[in-house]
Amino acid sequence: FESAHNVEVHGSLLERYVLAGYFINTIYTTVGFGDVASENSQERIFLIVAMYAGTIIFGILLAEIQAAISQHNWKSTNIMRAVTDTREFLREKHTPYHLERRIINWLQF
């Protein structure tokens, strides 16, 4: 296995740390080992950086999606609050139903 995958267990200390870091990051980022794998320390270092960059970008995308949904919900809540307050005001002032309906439709648009 070691020679087939160019893994030198008895290499230099730096190469062993890079290999260990590559192994841990491949598992941590859930990239998996797949059919294509790095063959030397330079490739492993590049892949470690790429994995972290991918994880950070994925996290940023999830945060942006959550913020957009939150903002949409906030706007919807404010519109519903304005409709409710307006409806209560119009009913207190005994506004004709057809006029109340037109005003509420305008607010909801």
Side-chain angles (χ1 to χ4, degrees):
F1 177 81
E2 294 172 5
S3 62
H5 296 287
N6 199 23
V7 175
E8 296 180 22
V9 178
H10 304 291
S12 71
L13 183 61
L14 177 63
E15 288 176 348
R16 288 187 287 174
Y17 272 110
V18 169
L19 180 60
Y22 173 73
F23 176 76
I24 290 169
N25 286 302
T26 303
I27 292 172
Y28 171 72
T29 58
T30 66
V31 171
F33 292 98
D35 295 338
V36 179
S38 59
E39 295 186 11
N40 57 44
S41 292
Q42 292 83 9
E43 291 176 358
R44 290 181 187 120
I45 290 171
F46 173 76
L47 289 176
I48 289 170
V49 171
M51 285 182 227
Y52 274 118
T55 303
I56 290 169
I57 291 169
F58 183 69
I60 290 170
L61 287 175
L62 285 180
E64 290 296 323
I65 290 169
Q66 187 274 335
I69 291 170
S70 177
Q71 184 178 11
H72 175 72
N73 289 341
W74 180 78
K75 287 180 181 179
S76 297
T77 302
N78 282 345
I79 290 171
M80 291 307 297
R81 186 175 298 131
V83 167
T84 303
D85 293 346
T86 304
R87 181 176 284 134
E88 288 175 6
F89 174 79
L90 294 173
R91 288 187 179 163
E92 285 175 9
K93 301 300 179 185
H94 305 290
T95 306
Y97 178 76
H98 70 280
L99 181 58
E100 176 185 329
R101 190 75 245 147
R102 286 181 63 195
I103 293 170
I104 295 301
N105 284 341
W106 181 82
L107 279 174
Q108 289 177 335
F109 180 69

